[in-house]
Amino acid sequence: MAGKKYVYSFGGGASEGNGSMKELLGGKGANLAEMASLGLPVPPGFTITTECCVDYFKNGSRLPDGVEKQMLAALAKVEKTMGMKFDDAKNPLLVSCRSGARSSMPGMMETVLNVGLSSKTIPGLIAKTGNERFVYDAYRRLIMMYSDVVMEKAEGIEPAEGQAIRKQLDNILDELKEKKGYASDTDLTVEDLKKLCETFKKQIKKTLKREFPDDAMAQLRGGIGAVLKSWNGKKAVSYRRIEGIPDDWGTAVNVQSMVFGNMGDTSATGVAFTRDPATGDNKFYGEWLINAQGEDVVAGTRTPNPLNNDTRNEQNKHLESMEDLYPELYKQLFDIRNKLEAHYHDMLDIEFTIQEGKLFMLQCRVGKRTGTAALNMAMDMLSEKMIDEKTAVLRVSPAQLDELLHPILDPAAEKKAEVIAKGLPAGPGGAVGRIVFNSVDAVKAAAKGEAVIMAREETNPEDVEGMRAAAGILTARGGMTSHAALVCRGWGKCCIVGAGAIHINESAGTMKIGSKVFRAGDTISINGTRGYVYAGAIAMVDSSENPRFQHFMKLVDKFRKLGVRANADTPADAEVARNFGAEGIGLFRTEHMFYGKNSEKPLFFLRKMILSNTTEERTAALKELYPYVKKDVKNTLTAMKNLPVTFRLLDPPLHEFVPNEKAKRQELADALGIKLSDVAKRAEALHETNPMMGHRGVRLGITFPEVSRMQMKAILEAAAELERDGIACKPEIMIPVTCDANEIKFQKRLLAEVAAEVAKKFKVAKIDYLVGTMIEIPRACLMADEMAKEADFFSFGTNDLTQMTFGFSRDDIGGFLNDYLDEKILSADPFQTIDQSGVGKLIDYAVKAGRSVKPKLKVGICGEQGGEARSVAFCHKVGLNYVSCSPFRVPIARLAAAQAALTEK
Ligand code: ADP
Ligand code: MG
Ligand code: MG
């Protein structure tokens, strides 16, 4: 392996790598290389590849052969560009060791700054800079980061709560500041810092039983090793789980010469977004801190200054902006902003540092954004001609679109409520829930299906699982680039940060706002779009009325090949589905009229039918049921105007409908003229051991043809009446739970008879309809060619098909699914996303077999997965005509279908 190139240099106006090499160099490394090539002021350095990380772990946590040599050569190159030398007594170069995975994992992995400070190099740096305070400030930071990242975390040490070395050192620092009455780190004097460094080193020795290394090269090796190891750190692993990032990608390590934002009042550091990541507004948006080092801005220890007027808000309005204080530097940064956007054609998230009036770029990456911002930026950049229509469609992810359709606090209700605290609007939408104060409680509550708001002083990467589980996040500290804000924005989760009026006492389990005291379990409501907190529960409403949403969806439909229908069981649902752009109904469940509102009467007649013992009894009951079915069918066809509607014949096992209450049973006994005890007997007779595989679906229509006939008549007469009144309609009759072509033949015979009767009654030549089948049993897939001869269409019922293929009960999988996911036996819940390698193979086979006898066979899917983006892409790939999903997921399916068509190879 000695021949492998593990190290790539960047800086000094040239780079060995470039922005397209994210897999090898990680996102940070690839973009540093790209920025350096663009001629932007990037401190030189080198990137150790992700391959090295992978090989490192294969190699028993040892660097693979050749890395050491390539690294020293690259370091020499950096030294030459900088005109400085690492570990030199007179002119010492300092570096940072930075992590950098392929896709960004904000705050999940480790970085060590100021590497190379030792008793050998410190005097030289002081002599050179004439700034002793700066040197000891850098040194104390190195000690703090290095002991935490390299000496503790990378060693796998798990300290007791509150005993982490970083926490201990922070406490020492805080105590000192308190004793001296300092408000900020910047008040510390040289003498303070010198003493602090000595105290720190002693504390480290005491706690970790090792000396802080006083050797530049040892520090560099330690730093690189720690970044590599941080890939398998606890928080990084849990973040990857949530984000679905593979464990075997590895991280790159960037070693970069240091520039210093902590050299005094003409030095600073900051982070910015080239456009507003919350709203998408075309405004440069950022925060900066004078005399500080990188992580200070995001740590939330000092409130950062606004970059410019556009960034001013409640918390920072009194602080000076860079635009006002250093207009020339601001202009330089603004030009870089424009240059980067023009180059990347996207919104970027950047990090910069100013060292004694000179600007340096330390990072850029495509910025995370809310769903609203994604939509607005895509449409803005399209009209700015920065991107084309295809790119615009690809810029909004299905999850972001989902977020756009997410609920908000009802504005009317909100107006009447009293705002009890204000913070920064870090994550959009609204949330109502009970207060929890830590991640563990959030996860527990969510598992019970409870909505919670996680209230924290500030969040840190250890909190991610709780943040994921919570409905909303509320923090007392931190700015728009704090950890909570970044993570929530990425997830589109409702979040407020920096609500200064709240005081959280985690151990007491209280949150105080003024004189009000809230306890864990109390309900609050938060508006993450505005940053407002309310006591109690405020009503929520859906927010689909973004003015640009419709325009965007028009673009989406331009590129989509797959049709999108909805699963809808009522005229009201059908209406919603149409408004969301559904091109028909792919699944109308007849049985739905027997549940919920207004179901009393039809349910009674259905029960009568079920408990009938003779064909006469049954026919009489069916006659009473008929008008209800017909009315539902007719209203739904009317709501869908001219668009196709697929009516599924009665599907569930009948015993599901038998009442258990005595009064209800008595009523039925009276209606049927039988004894109460006979109702019990007849109900008993319907009992099945395995009802999901029992007397259901088409099997009912085989045993009781009159049940099918009644439904067929209701559908065809409704259609005939509408046609007669000049309303075009397209009914499609779907036969469920088939496993053999003869079942379809049987039902088609009935249908032909009914159709002839209806045609005669309405005096028309023929009634137009399609007849097809659901494919939800593996045998039906295998027999698809035979089935296709009898069917106008197939619709994959992937809920049952998944159940039957895996032999997993849909209703009981919850009991063991998590074990399967945790043990990586399955990579996802197959009831949420189609199992492409198993169930998908059956689908693919059935489509091909069906079309081999009927090339134009119409094929769709109507399982839950039909609205899930990955499944939609799969449906596109295997050539389905349409997907059908719940009305609210229709826009998501449309987008996923367009993106599948656009990214097809
Ligand atoms: P993360 O991936 O968590 O953002 P980074 O590697 O970007 O971590 O480092 C954290 C902070 O340290 C950044 O904000 C950056 O400004 C600062 N930093 C990293 N390397 C250097 C450097 N060579 N010179 C000055 N500051 C640096
Ligand atoms: Mg960074
Ligand atoms: Mg089914």
Side-chain angles (χ1 to χ4, degrees):
M1 288 265 176
K4 230 186 223 179
K5 183 168 172 63
Y6 282 115
V7 178
Y8 287 72
S9 296
F10 60 82
S15 306
E16 289 180 319
N18 65 58
S20 71
M21 295 166 72
K22 291 200 181 59
E23 291 186 9
L24 190 64
L25 303 180
K28 200 179 287 165
N31 284 329
L32 282 170
E34 186 83 11
M35 283 201 292
S37 301
L38 284 174
L40 300 184
V42 175
F46 55 88
T47 304
I48 305 173
T49 64
T50 55
E51 262 176 26
C52 173
C53 179
V54 173
D55 291 348
Y56 171 84
F57 285 114
K58 273 194 208 149
N59 210 12
S61 298
R62 275 201 323 271
L63 285 178
D65 291 346
V67 176
E68 177 82 17
K69 214 173 133 205
Q70 294 179 31
M71 209 176 81
L72 292 176
L75 183 62
K77 212 160 152 184
V78 173
E79 290 173 334
K80 204 168 154 216
T81 315
M82 294 292 286
M84 299 161 95
K85 258 186 136 42
F86 191 68
D87 195 24
D88 189 77
K90 290 226 168 66
N91 186 16
L93 172 72
L94 303 189
V95 298
S96 62
C97 293
R98 317 173 65 188
S99 59
R102 278 196 215 179
S103 74
S104 97
M105 300 168 58
M108 288 300 133
M109 289 186 306
E110 309 298 349
T111 291
V112 188
L113 306 181
N114 309 328
V115 171
L117 279 173
S118 63
S119 51
K120 176 175 165 194
T121 57
I122 286 173
L125 192 61
I126 294 172
K128 189 181 156 207
T129 59
N131 190 340
E132 198 176 6
R133 189 197 174 280
F134 146 69
V135 175
Y136 279 101
D137 184 53
Y139 192 43
R140 67 98 186 165
R141 289 171 187 272
L142 168 68
I143 299 172
M144 292 174 98
M145 278 184 268
Y146 194 93
S147 58
D148 170 37
V149 173
V150 187
M151 300 177 73
E152 190 172 88
K153 290 205 178 95
E155 292 300 320
I157 298 170
E158 288 189 26
E161 181 70 25
Q163 290 306 304
I165 189 68
R166 177 81 205 209
K167 182 82 191 154
Q168 293 187 32
L169 302 189
D170 274 337
N171 288 346
I172 295 174
L173 177 61
D174 286 344
E175 274 161 31
L176 177 71
K177 273 161 57 183
E178 194 157 336
K179 202 173 98 197
K180 300 256 174 165
Y182 298 155
S184 163
D185 295 356
T186 46
D187 298 335
L188 296 164
T189 64
V190 187
E191 288 315 313
D192 293 332
L193 288 165
K194 269 189 178 167
K195 249 197 241 141
L196 203 55
C197 291
E198 289 315 306
T199 317
F200 279 179
K201 286 195 273 189
K202 278 197 197 113
Q203 191 69 18
I204 291 168
K205 179 78 201 292
K206 196 170 140 209
T207 308
L208 299 172
K209 315 278 183 270
R210 280 171 56 205
E211 295 282 351
F212 175 79
D214 190 31
D215 173 72
M217 221 41 201
Q219 288 171 7
L220 179 58
R221 293 208 171 90
I224 292 173
V227 171
L228 291 171
K229 285 182 189 138
S230 72
W231 176 253
N232 280 337
K234 223 168 144 190
K235 55 187 180 176
V237 171
S238 93
Y239 185 85
R240 287 205 291 276
R241 268 277 159 93
I242 294 168
E243 294 283 304
I245 297 172
D247 289 334
D248 59 8
W249 277 4
T251 179
V253 186
N254 300 290
V255 175
Q256 185 174 26
S257 34
M258 284 300 301
V259 288
F260 302 101
N262 55 337
M263 287 186 82
D265 286 347
T266 55
S267 300
T269 181
V271 295
F273 296 88
T274 57
R275 298 185 187 211
D276 188 328
T279 63
D281 288 349
N282 186 0
K283 285 176 181 162
F284 194 24
Y285 191 93
E287 298 175 324
W288 71 309
L289 270 177
I290 295 169
N291 199 9
Q293 242 183 5
E295 76 279 24
D296 293 1
V297 180
V298 271
T301 41
R302 276 202 262 159
T303 302
N305 298 41
L307 192 63
N308 51 22
N309 276 325
D310 288 333
T311 316
R312 287 195 186 282
N313 61 36
E314 282 297 310
Q315 267 72 42
N316 65 22
K317 61 184 176 201
H318 58 291
L319 299 171
E320 216 145 8
S321 75
M322 182 164 153
E323 190 176 15
D324 292 339
L325 199 62
Y326 296 125
E328 260 152 58
L329 276 170
Y330 180 75
K331 185 173 177 308
Q332 200 190 338
L333 187 65
F334 193 79
D335 288 344
I336 289 177
R337 172 238 189 200
N338 293 342
K339 192 165 178 177
L340 283 172
E341 272 208 350
H343 183 73
Y344 283 89
H345 309 288
D346 205 345
M347 183 273 274
L348 299 150
D349 169 349
I350 61 180
E351 294 178 358
F352 60 89
T353 281
I354 297 164
Q355 176 178 328
E356 300 192 306
K358 193 166 173 335
L359 176 67
F360 294 92
M361 297 303 296
L362 287 172
Q363 192 172 332
C364 85
R365 65 183 164 206
V366 169
K368 297 213 170 175
R369 61 202 71 184
T370 64
T372 309
L375 177 71
N376 287 333
M377 283 177 197
M379 298 313 280
D380 280 346
M381 289 183 183
L382 178 66
S383 57
E384 288 162 31
K385 299 208 161 54
M386 193 182 274
I387 57 175
D388 61 11
E389 289 186 338
K390 288 181 185 174
T391 309
V393 168
L394 290 169
R395 276 294 162 81
V396 182
S397 72
Q400 284 170 327
L401 197 68
D402 187 22
E403 179 200 320
L404 269 176
L405 302 169
H406 259 36
I408 56 172
L409 298 182
D410 177 4
E414 206 181 336
K415 219 178 238 169
K416 289 188 213 127
E418 182 203 350
V419 178
I420 54 168
K422 282 185 192 175
L424 303 178
V432 178
R434 292 168 179 280
I435 300 172
V436 293
F437 292 111
N438 60 57
S439 184
V440 176
D441 290 348
V443 171
K444 267 193 212 147
K448 282 188 275 178
E450 259 179 61
V452 294
I453 310 264
M454 185 157 115
R456 303 276 293 160
E457 199 50 32
E458 61 193 314
T459 68
N460 63 53
E462 268 89 30
D463 292 328
V464 283
E465 291 189 50
M467 294 171 74
R468 184 64 161 190
I473 312 291
L474 172 63
T475 74
R477 291 205 287 179
M480 288 298 274
T481 47
S482 64
H483 175 262
L486 280 180
V487 171
C488 288
R489 199 174 296 126
W491 287 343
K493 183 165 297 248
C494 178
C495 172
I496 296 175
V497 297
I502 69 173
H503 296 281
I504 292 172
N505 185 334
E506 200 186 327
S507 50
T510 58
M511 176 174 92
K512 275 193 197 158
I513 303 177
S515 60
K516 291 194 183 80
V517 179
F518 296 82
R519 291 176 199 289
D522 289 348
T523 299
I524 56 169
S525 304
I526 59 176
N527 176 337
T529 313
R530 295 167 76 186
Y532 295 170
V533 184
Y534 304 93
I538 289 183
M540 309 261 294
V541 294
D542 287 311
S543 77
S544 54
E545 48 196 271
N546 188 320
R548 303 182 100 171
F549 173 71
Q550 299 297 345
H551 186 181
F552 177 74
M553 291 311 295
K554 253 193 208 131
L555 279 186
V556 162
D557 286 343
K558 260 196 192 174
F559 300 102
R560 172 164 67 87
K561 298 200 184 98
L562 197 61
V564 177
R565 295 192 186 189
N567 299 345
D569 307 314
T570 63
D573 281 357
E575 192 76 40
V576 174
R578 263 181 69 97
N579 290 337
F580 275 124
E583 298 157 306
I585 291 180
L587 176 64
F588 176 94
R589 304 174 187 86
T590 316
E591 57 272 17
H592 211 272
M593 60 187 292
F594 305 122
Y595 302 105
K597 227 169 74 188
N598 298 330
S599 63
E600 192 81 350
K601 280 200 174 141
L603 181 59
F604 180 72
F605 297 126
L606 177 78
R607 285 170 166 167
K608 235 174 114 180
M609 185 273 279
I610 289 169
L611 293 173
S612 299
N613 245 6
T614 62
T615 311
E616 289 74 57
E617 275 178 14
R618 198 171 301 110
T619 311
L622 284 169
K623 217 174 187 161
E624 291 172 298
L625 185 53
Y626 174 80
Y628 294 94
V629 178
K630 186 171 128 190
K631 186 169 147 226
D632 239 35
V633 168
K634 198 167 163 181
N635 287 342
T636 305
L637 281 169
T638 311
M640 289 312 282
K641 300 184 178 100
N642 208 13
L643 292 173
V645 180
T646 308
F647 296 99
R648 179 177 69 180
L649 300 182
L650 205 58
D651 181 58
L654 294 182
H655 75 92
E656 270 187 19
F657 297 103
V658 177
N660 291 316
E661 288 162 64
K662 199 172 156 211
K664 289 256 174 330
R665 288 193 168 197
Q666 186 64 55
E667 216 180 315
L668 279 167
D670 295 345
L672 285 162
I674 58 175
K675 285 195 298 234
L676 184 62
S677 57
D678 285 333
V679 173
K681 264 189 224 151
R682 292 186 187 187
E684 190 58 33
L686 289 169
H687 172 80
E688 290 178 304
T689 310
N690 257 328
M692 282 307 260
M693 295 200 278
H695 202 186
R696 57 176 291 216
V698 70
R699 298 158 201 176
L700 292 171
I702 305 277
T703 312
F704 310 119
E706 56 277 18
V707 175
S708 293
R709 250 193 222 116
M710 180 278 287
Q711 299 175 72
M712 292 165 176
K713 185 169 154 199
I715 296 165
L716 297 186
E717 284 212 359
E721 283 176 16
L722 287 171
E723 291 280 350
R724 183 190 60 200
D725 300 341
I727 301 170
C729 53
K730 290 185 179 141
E732 302 180 344
I733 293 167
M734 180 158 78
I735 306 166
V737 204
T738 53
C739 59
D740 196 281
N742 285 331
E743 292 168 325
I744 309 177
K745 265 192 203 159
F746 184 110
Q747 295 291 308
K748 273 174 77 180
R749 252 194 330 264
L750 303 176
L751 188 54
E753 285 164 24
V754 174
E757 284 161 25
V758 175
K760 201 164 145 206
K761 179 170 168 190
F762 284 80
K763 301 196 176 64
V764 292
K766 75 185 231 309
I767 307 282
D768 274 332
Y769 63 85
L770 296 181
V771 57
T773 185
M774 255 174 115
I775 301 278
E776 49 193 331
I777 295 180
R779 188 175 194 271
C781 295
L782 300 172
M783 307 292 292
D785 48 351
E786 294 297 321
M787 311 282 281
K789 283 182 197 154
E790 300 303 327
D792 297 320
F793 64 88
F794 284 171
S795 177
F796 289 99
T798 43
N799 301 337
D800 271 313
L801 187 58
T802 301
Q803 166 168 273
M804 302 277 190
T805 303
F806 278 92
F808 287 159
S809 160
R810 281 157 74 171
D811 305 309
D812 305 314
I813 189 176
F816 57 88
L817 178 66
N818 278 333
D819 301 332
Y820 269 60
L821 297 176
D822 286 346
E823 295 298 332
K824 298 191 182 151
I825 291 166
L826 288 179
S827 63
D829 175 357
F831 290 100
Q832 275 182 33
T833 184
I834 289 180
D835 157 49
Q836 299 188 17
S837 43
V839 175
K841 212 179 261 173
L842 281 170
I843 294 176
D844 189 32
Y845 175 83
V847 173
K848 290 197 177 103
R851 292 206 176 126
S852 73
V853 300
K854 197 173 270 177
K856 293 240 158 94
L857 182 75
K858 194 160 61 134
V859 189
I861 164 186
C862 61
E864 279 308 307
Q865 300 96 331
E868 187 272 332
R870 271 180 295 169
S871 305
V872 173
F874 170 78
C875 292
H876 171 88
K877 197 177 93 197
V878 295
L880 297 202
N881 299 83
Y882 68 87
V883 295
S884 188
C885 58
S886 73
F888 282 96
R889 289 169 100 180
V890 165
I892 298 164
R894 285 160 73 195
L895 177 60
Q899 294 187 342
L902 284 172
T903 53
E904 193 168 36
K905 292 197 183 86

